[in-house]
Structures are given as C-alpha cells and as structure tokens.
Amino acid sequence: MMDSPRLLLPAARAAPYPGSSACPRLDTGRPPFSLSYRRRRRSSVQVQSASTGAGSQSSVVDESEAVEWAMQDFYALRKDVELAVERVDEVRQAAGLEQLVEEIASLENKSGDSTLWDDPSKAQELLVALTEVKEKVRLLNDFKLQVEEADTIVKLTAELDSIDTGLLEEASKIIKALNKALDNFEMTRLLSGPYDKEGAVITISAGAGGTDAQDWADMLLRMYVRWGEKQRYKSRVVEKSPGEEAGIKSATVELEGRYVYGYLSGEKGTHRIVRQSPFNAKGLRQTSFAGVEVMPLLPEESLDVEIPEEDLEISFTRAGGKGGQNVNKVETAVRMVHIPTGIAVRCAEERSQLANKIKALRRLKAKLLVIAEEQRASEIKQIRGDVVKAEWGQQIRNYVFHPYKLVKDVRTACETSDIGGVMDGELDPFIKAYLQYKLSAAAEEQSAK
C-alpha cells in the first residue's frame, strides 16, 4: 500500500513583511466553531445570574449578540464548505479520476497473466504501480466523501431554528483536515524526480564562524529533526561530532518515509545566521554559516553504480561519542573521497570499520547518482564536483535574529518574520516555494529550447 505524502501545505497566501509571511505559509485555521459562541454564551449567563431588573435586560442584549456572532461564524463556515466543494471537484478532474479507474482495470488484467512472474522484477514493478494507482483513487474518493459530509451538516443547520455548535465544530474540523489533505495531494504533482519518493540523509557541517557556527549547526539539526517529527517521519541521528565549547562540528540524520527526499532536496546549501552572539562577552552581532547536504536514502538494489577502486581515497579515524568499546580506541570511522569530483562522505555511527565502510560507499553512490541526475550526466565520470561551501556569498537562506527577525530564502524570496516557528520545524512554506520555483525554472528552460 502506498503511503500518502505527509507534507501539510495549504494554498499560498502573500503578505508583506514584517507583519506576516511573504511566501506560502501554514494556515493555522479558524478556532473551533463553538469557541467564540460558548464564551459569549457563558458571559451572558453570568450576567443574568448575577443581576436583576436592569441587569436582566442587559443579559438579553448579550444573548442576542451571542446568537448574532454565532450566525456570522456559520456563514463563514458555509463559505469555506462551498470553496472546498469546488476545490475537490477541481482536484478530481485534474487528477483524471476516470482515466485512473481505467488504468486500474488494465493493470489488474495484466497482473492476471500466467507468464507475469517469469520476470520477477517486472512483475514487482507492475504490482507497485497498481497499488499506487489504487491508493490515488481511494484518496480522491475520500475527498469527495469528506466534503459531502461537511456540506450535509451545513445544509441541515440552515434548515433548523437553532444552531447545534457541536455539529458545526465537527464540520469545521472536517474542512480543515480536508484542505490539508488536498494540499498534500497536490504537492505530489511537484515531485517528479527519480528519487523524490525515497527517504533522506541530511548531513550538517559547521562552517565559518567558530563556536557560533557550531552552535548554529546544532540549531539546524534540531530544526530538521522537529520537522520530521511533525510530519510523522521516522528520524534518527546516526552520527554527531560535538564542538569544543558548544554545538556540533557535524551531524548526520536519517529520515525514513515517503517523499522525504523530494521535500528536503531544496534544503541543500549554505544557511546563514545573524544574531547577537551568546559566546561574545560584549554581545556583538555575529554572522555564522553551516552547510547542509541532502542525499536520498536509497535501498541497496537501487545503487547500480560501479566506482573504480582507484577513484576512491579512504581514510580511517577514531569515532567520537557514545558507542561500543571500540569508540575512541580503534579507528572505526571512515571518510571516503571520490577523487575525480572531490565529493566526500563520512560514516562513524557503526561499531566496526567494515560496516562504516559499506555504509559510506552506499552514501557516496547515492550522492553521485543525485548529482549525475542534476547535471544530466549519462555516466558518473562526467559529473563535476558539487561541494557545499559554508561561507559568505554561498548562502541559500538567511536567518536574522538581530536587529530584526526575518527568515528569507535567497532563491525564491520566500520570507517570514516567525523565526521561532521556523526553528521549531515549520519549514513547509519554504519547501513549497522552492518546489514551485524549481518547477517554474524547469518550464522556462524547456520553453527556451
């Protein structure tokens, strides 16, 4: 069964800085329908119980105001439902639901062929395709059922003399969840790369800036781990090299799940921070850098790449941190460099040198495959070096903590003043903006030809 991608991204909404974000951002949604109504209702009841005479007349006014506010909430919800109905119809039509149903019938017919398993790899490929199409159809039908349920609740409420806030709160939750699911479904149209459906390996390295840079690298590590947790991906910090005073020199985290690499591939590059240094006695403003590398977490059978032994430079060092008895005693950590391109990987999380060497080679192959795809090279020997330089002039995103608060992507101009939210893993607006930017750039390049 195909996992649906978990990235929850609503429609883009532009807003000028500094009041709000100027790029696609998460819609926090309206508060539950009955919240404002219940508060006003409780307020009017308190006035009525504590007052008599003129006070009773005041409570009647409060009661009428509460009903008026509740009706306004109802009209807003009804409008949200109408927009959701239109959006579901558009998504189902754009996805080609009828063609997908026909495709399922065709694939099921092929899967019943008695000679199918004569070629196991081809058979497996067909079954995976069938599962994915069935899952897509199931999602499209679920969208229809959910919006119909919310629409029924709203129509029923319009026919009643009183407002059932419990029902309307349920409809509000349905619409909010539905919009997130629709955003999620539409995002798959932007993920068409050969490795976009895979998990990801993120390597973070401190750059220019000394202790501040090492602390910044640690902050980025937490940011990506928090993002993975919010998307319900399985994340694991597999290697972490602590800094001398604070932070980390480098770290590697693996995120397993559907479409992780597709979402995070745009995070590759140099990330720059500007803040008042907590390590400076005078509290002066400090600029620091950290480099982020992103590779797909590919299964062994996908790494059909042969790298000549003479093209590899392998060195061994002692691994630091917690681990088995060999840590800090035996040179188990492995650093592997692809000599023609200068591309390097390091692996230190395993307890034996051999296991680290195997894992390092796997990561190097994955990295070379991705770079070859980006550079459209037919062979590994045709690719150029692609090393992220964590220094001035190379940044893809700026994080300004002082003298004002702003996170801005240099490539897409996506920005937000909610720097605390970003550092807590709210990366979805930047991810969506980059994918749209990448799609537009590819379309422009295609039209230029």
Side-chain angles (χ1 to χ4, degrees):
M1 183 67 65
M2 181 190 75
D3 294 327
S4 60
R6 302 183 177 87
L7 191 61
L8 310 179
L9 297 169
R13 184 183 305 165
Y17 171 81
S20 58
S21 172
C23 59
R25 62 178 297 175
L26 283 176
D27 186 359
T28 56
R30 297 186 298 110
F33 171 84
S34 60
L35 183 60
S36 60
Y37 173 75
R38 285 176 179 170
R39 286 177 177 170
R40 295 184 181 93
R41 173 75 175 173
R42 183 162 57 249
S43 175
S44 66
V45 171
Q46 290 172 349
V47 171
Q48 186 174 10
S49 62
S51 307
T52 58
S56 298
Q57 185 177 0
S58 175
S59 68
V60 172
V61 174
D62 288 345
E63 180 70 19
S64 63
E65 288 180 355
V67 173
E68 182 181 349
W69 278 103
M71 289 304 299
Q72 289 181 10
D73 283 348
F74 167 71
Y75 293 138
L77 176 60
R78 185 169 66 179
K79 182 64 176 177
D80 289 344
V81 172
E82 291 173 354
L83 293 174
V85 170
E86 295 177 2
R87 188 180 179 195
V88 167
D89 290 339
E90 291 174 358
V91 168
R92 284 164 61 91
Q93 184 177 359
L97 183 59
E98 294 181 359
Q99 290 85 348
L100 291 174
V101 173
E102 293 175 359
E103 187 177 351
I104 289 176
S106 175
L107 291 172
E108 287 180 338
N109 185 44
K110 292 179 181 178
S111 66
D113 191 342
S114 57
T115 62
L116 175 66
W117 289 98
D118 291 346
D119 187 346
S121 61
K122 186 177 181 180
Q124 186 65 31
E125 185 179 336
L126 186 144
L127 293 178
V128 169
L130 178 60
T131 301
E132 290 184 353
V133 177
K134 282 185 174 180
E135 178 67 11
K136 188 176 290 186
V137 170
R138 184 191 68 78
L139 286 172
L140 292 171
N141 289 332
D142 282 351
F143 297 156
K144 186 72 172 177
L145 291 174
Q146 291 177 48
V147 77
E148 286 177 349
E149 182 180 356
D151 191 38
T152 300
I153 291 174
V154 169
K155 288 179 178 178
L156 178 63
T157 301
E159 296 174 0
L160 298 176
D161 295 331
S162 60
I163 294 179
D164 188 332
T165 56
L167 276 177
L168 291 178
E169 184 173 348
E170 181 183 349
S172 179
K173 290 179 179 179
I174 290 173
I175 292 301
K176 183 178 179 181
L178 175 61
N179 281 328
K180 289 180 179 180
L182 288 169
D183 292 328
N184 192 24
F185 184 84
E186 290 179 331
M187 280 299 296
T188 60
R189 299 172 60 187
L190 302 176
L191 300 174
S192 57
Y195 310 114
D196 284 350
K197 294 182 180 180
E198 306 295 343
V201 179
I202 304 175
T203 302
I204 303 167
S205 304
T211 303
D212 280 278
Q214 294 175 4
D215 186 54
W216 173 227
D218 198 22
M219 292 169 64
L220 288 176
L221 173 62
R222 179 187 180 278
M223 181 181 75
Y224 290 119
V225 170
R226 288 288 294 137
W227 179 85
E229 291 173 351
K230 290 185 176 183
Q231 307 303 326
R232 299 186 181 93
Y233 289 128
K234 180 181 178 182
S235 58
R236 184 168 68 101
V237 178
V238 296
E239 187 267 332
K240 193 173 180 180
S241 177
E244 288 86 356
E245 298 181 29
I248 58 173
K249 294 179 180 178
S250 65
T252 301
V253 57
E254 292 182 354
L255 289 94
E256 298 179 23
R258 196 78 165 171
Y259 293 100
V260 185
Y261 177 73
Y263 295 140
L264 292 180
S265 58
E267 294 299 302
K268 174 185 175 183
T270 300
H271 297 246
R272 170 179 173 255
I273 183 176
V274 180
R275 63 172 177 172
Q276 284 182 305
S277 173
F279 307 101
N280 188 303
K282 296 181 180 180
L284 299 177
R285 192 170 68 171
Q286 177 78 25
T287 299
S288 306
F289 302 86
V292 175
E293 293 272 6
V294 185
M295 296 173 286
L297 188 60
L298 298 175
E300 185 65 35
E301 57 271 17
S302 300
L303 299 172
D304 187 17
V305 179
E306 292 296 330
I307 303 178
E309 190 72 27
E310 59 270 17
D311 286 350
L312 295 176
E313 178 184 313
I314 304 174
S315 57
F316 306 98
T317 58
R318 294 182 182 180
K322 299 177 181 179
Q325 61 182 357
N326 288 338
V327 171
N328 284 322
K329 296 180 181 179
V330 182
E331 294 184 338
T332 56
V334 176
R335 185 175 186 271
M336 193 173 291
V337 180
H338 185 239
I339 298 173
T341 60
I343 295 171
V345 295
R346 184 177 184 273
C347 185
E349 58 264 28
E350 302 297 336
R351 296 190 177 185
S352 72
Q353 188 182 97
L354 179 60
N356 279 324
K357 184 177 178 181
I358 293 172
K359 206 163 192 176
L361 182 59
R362 188 181 306 166
R363 288 179 184 170
L364 180 61
K365 287 182 177 180
K367 196 169 184 178
L368 291 172
L369 281 173
V370 171
I371 297 172
E373 176 67 25
E374 291 173 350
Q375 298 180 3
R376 299 180 182 176
S378 58
E379 297 181 13
I380 293 297
K381 64 182 181 181
Q382 294 178 345
I383 69 175
R384 306 179 302 276
D386 192 44
V387 180
V388 173
K389 296 181 180 179
E391 58 189 30
W392 178 267
Q394 303 294 324
Q395 65 267 23
I396 62 164
R397 191 177 301 149
N398 294 314
Y399 304 73
V400 182
F401 286 76
H402 182 78
Y404 53 86
K405 296 185 183 298
L406 176 68
V407 182
K408 182 171 183 178
D409 195 290
V410 176
R411 303 160 299 182
T412 64
C414 176
E415 63 181 44
T416 178
S417 58
D418 183 19
I419 196 166
V422 172
M423 298 313 301
D424 196 42
E426 297 293 344
L427 297 174
D428 298 350
F430 292 96
I431 292 172
K432 183 174 183 179
Y434 176 76
L435 292 175
Q436 292 174 334
Y437 160 81
K438 185 178 177 181
L439 186 66
S440 300
E444 291 177 3
E445 184 179 345
Q446 189 68 26
S447 62
K449 294 180 179 180

